[in-house]
Amino acid sequence: MNKFLAVPRLKTDNESIETTTSENQSQVERKIEKLFESFCSKAQCDPEAPVLYKQNHINYIKNHMFTLPENYECLDSSRPWLCYWLCQSLALLNCNLSILEKSNVVSFLSKCQHESGGFCGGPNQMPHLAPTYAAVCALCLIGTEEAYAVINRENLYTFLVSLRLPNGSFRMHKHGECDVRAVYCSATVARLTNIYTDVLFESSAQWVIRCQTYEGGFGGVPGVEAHGGYTFCGFSALLLLKSIHMCDTKSLLRWVANKQMSFEGGFQGRTNKLVDGCYSFWQAAIFPVISELLESENQRPMWSMYDYQALQEYVLICCQNRYSGGLIDKPGKPPDVYHTCYVLSGLSIAQHAVDNSSCVVGKPENILNKNNPIYNIEETSLQKALQYFSMTKPINYF
């Protein structure tokens, strides 16, 4: 048995009661078992396995940077997200765009900025918090003076004010839905661009904590089921709001730890759901932050709070399109730029779970640049952006 899969893994026990859910789970486990078996047979002759096919992924990302296939038409209102996913992926892979390519991305994002503040899903669309978050993050990842200068901070603040509700929550857009994503997106762009004020986020932490469920995770709004993506948004929002003391971290840790699949090694987003590569970030990003919180309380954990090696194995063995590049949700699914971004983001988190090279599964060349688990921005790019905006002049808030 290869050293990476030496520990026995437990499959789902349906207790002889077959349901659609249990059968779907068993189908996924069978596909993954075949991949594990194939990997182990080949790895006997290759001590450097498994391999992260970096150049293939770089080629895939660059092929999607300025020309997209027809199946991406449905994301016409999410075009800043495409820029963000691609720029974040390249940053983690330590691959730089050319000066001209960076300028072209910046030029496009500038056309997505609304005259009243915030960014739209595409030129001539309405401003929305989701593409605002994506656009600001993408511009920070590009990291040029031109990119930073695009962001109209005064109008961005006005836009955030217009979406704030009296209870501290935010709408995603004018007359739009209100959920925990909106608080996270607002707090993130405010912190990144140095326009955060206590007045803007008054009572926001109190609203966010109402979204933590009896399970320990966070739902999109108070009273609904805990979900990996919303949990990331809720927990990270509390950190950005400097109100993490309000969170039941023990309950959260129990919930998120139990979302790692015992056989696959990857994470599911909700209880009784299938493994999905994107939750390699949404769920795993919680652990380094909780670890830091425990250390700050002199309660340094004596062991990892999740199996970071099993997560890397799932990504490297089951989530790579080896030949054409790109990363995937689970075996049998095609690659896409969304999963490429979040699978790589989660892989980076797992690789840096412990401060030594023994944390990296496979050869040392597999290692990615360090990712920030709160902003989901490559660490060097994030620090450069925070430093730049910390030097900007205060805004005349009103």
Side-chain angles (χ1 to χ4, degrees), residues 32 74 80 85 101 107 113-114 151 173 186 197 202 206 273 290 312 351 369 371 385 392:
I32 290 175
C74 62
W85 295 331
E101 288 172 330
S107 177
Q113 187 166 214
H114 197 272
I151 304 170
H173 61 89
S186 298
T197 66
E202 183 180 357
Q206 287 82 350
K273 293 295 184 178
I290 289 184
Q312 291 179 63
Q351 289 177 339
N369 285 347
N371 186 34
T392 53

Side-chain angles (χ1 to χ4, degrees), residues 267-289:
F267 283 82
Q268 62 184 179
R270 290 179 285 161
T271 303
N272 288 331
K273 293 295 184 178
L274 301 176
V275 68
D276 186 331
C278 70
Y279 292 107
S280 301
F281 173 76
W282 297 121
Q283 301 285 31
I286 303 293
F287 294 104
V289 181

Side-chain angles (χ1 to χ4, degrees), residues 373-388:
I374 301 172
Y375 292 92
N376 197 26
I377 296 176
E378 188 268 336
E379 189 66 41
T380 301
S381 302
L382 173 65
Q383 295 306 321
K384 181 181 175 183
L386 290 174
Q387 175 65 23
Y388 174 87

Side-chain angles (χ1 to χ4, degrees), residues 358-379:
S358 65
C359 197
V360 179
V361 170
K363 59 183 182 179
E365 289 78 5
N366 283 352
I367 196 165
L368 297 166
N369 285 347
K370 190 173 184 180
N371 186 34
N372 185 278
I374 301 172
Y375 292 92
N376 197 26
I377 296 176
E378 188 268 336
E379 189 66 41

Side-chain angles (χ1 to χ4, degrees), residues 115-370:
E115 59 183 9
S116 65
F119 288 79
C120 313
N124 302 315
Q125 297 181 22
M126 69 177 184
H128 191 290
L129 263 178
T132 296
Y133 163 86
V136 170
C137 288
L139 291 166
C140 289
L141 283 160
I142 291 170
T144 60
E145 184 80 24
E146 180 189 20
Y148 298 146
V150 164
I151 304 170
N152 187 320
R153 295 166 61 244
E154 291 84 357
N155 286 358
L156 177 58
Y157 187 82
T158 302
F159 174 61
L160 296 181
V161 170
S162 73
L163 298 177
R164 187 185 183 280
L165 296 177
N167 64 1
S169 64
F170 287 76
R171 295 190 184 277
M172 292 299 292
H173 61 89
K174 185 178 180 181
H175 306 308
E177 72 275 24
C178 167
D179 58 47
V180 75
R181 295 174 304 156
V183 179
Y184 170 71
C185 290
S186 298
T188 297
V189 299
R191 289 292 188 188
L192 282 172
T193 61
N194 195 26
I195 60 171
Y196 184 98
T197 66
D198 292 336
V199 172
L200 178 59
F201 292 99
E202 183 180 357
S203 301
S204 293
Q206 287 82 350
W207 185 86
V208 170
I209 203 61
R210 290 175 54 209
C211 297
Q212 187 171 24
T213 78
Y214 71 93
E215 303 163 273
F218 287 71
V221 294
V224 302
E225 180 186 13
H227 177 283
Y230 290 127
T231 296
F232 167 80
C233 290
F235 182 65
S236 296
L238 289 175
L239 286 161
L240 294 166
L241 297 169
K242 299 190 181 303
S243 300
I244 197 59
H245 62 280
M246 300 175 68
C247 179
D248 184 346
T249 52
K250 290 183 179 179
S251 178
L252 171 61
L253 178 57
R254 181 177 62 248
W255 180 83
V256 71
N258 280 288
K259 297 288 93 56
Q260 187 170 24
M261 309 297 281
S262 59
F263 183 75
E264 301 91 310
F267 283 82
Q268 62 184 179
R270 290 179 285 161
T271 303
N272 288 331
K273 293 295 184 178
L274 301 176
V275 68
D276 186 331
C278 70
Y279 292 107
S280 301
F281 173 76
W282 297 121
Q283 301 285 31
I286 303 293
F287 294 104
V289 181
I290 289 184
S291 180
E292 287 188 12
L293 290 173
L294 292 174
E295 288 185 25
S296 68
E297 299 170 356
N298 296 318
Q299 301 180 48
R300 183 180 178 87
M302 300 303 294
W303 53 83
S304 175
M305 292 177 284
Y306 74 110
D307 193 333
Y308 55 82
Q309 289 188 325
L311 177 58
Q312 291 179 63
E313 290 162 8
Y314 174 67
V315 169
L316 295 172
I317 299 170
C318 304
C319 292
Q320 294 192 86
N321 187 319
R322 174 176 178 179
Y323 301 103
S324 62
L327 292 105
I328 64 175
D329 163 354
K330 61 177 67 66
K333 296 294 184 72
D336 60 78
V337 297
Y338 166 86
H339 283 93
T340 296
C341 172
Y342 290 107
V343 174
L344 289 174
S345 295
L347 179 60
S348 173
I349 294 290
Q351 289 177 339
H352 294 274
V354 178
D355 292 330
N356 60 63
S357 59
S358 65
C359 197
V360 179
V361 170
K363 59 183 182 179
E365 289 78 5
N366 283 352
I367 196 165
L368 297 166
N369 285 347
K370 190 173 184 180

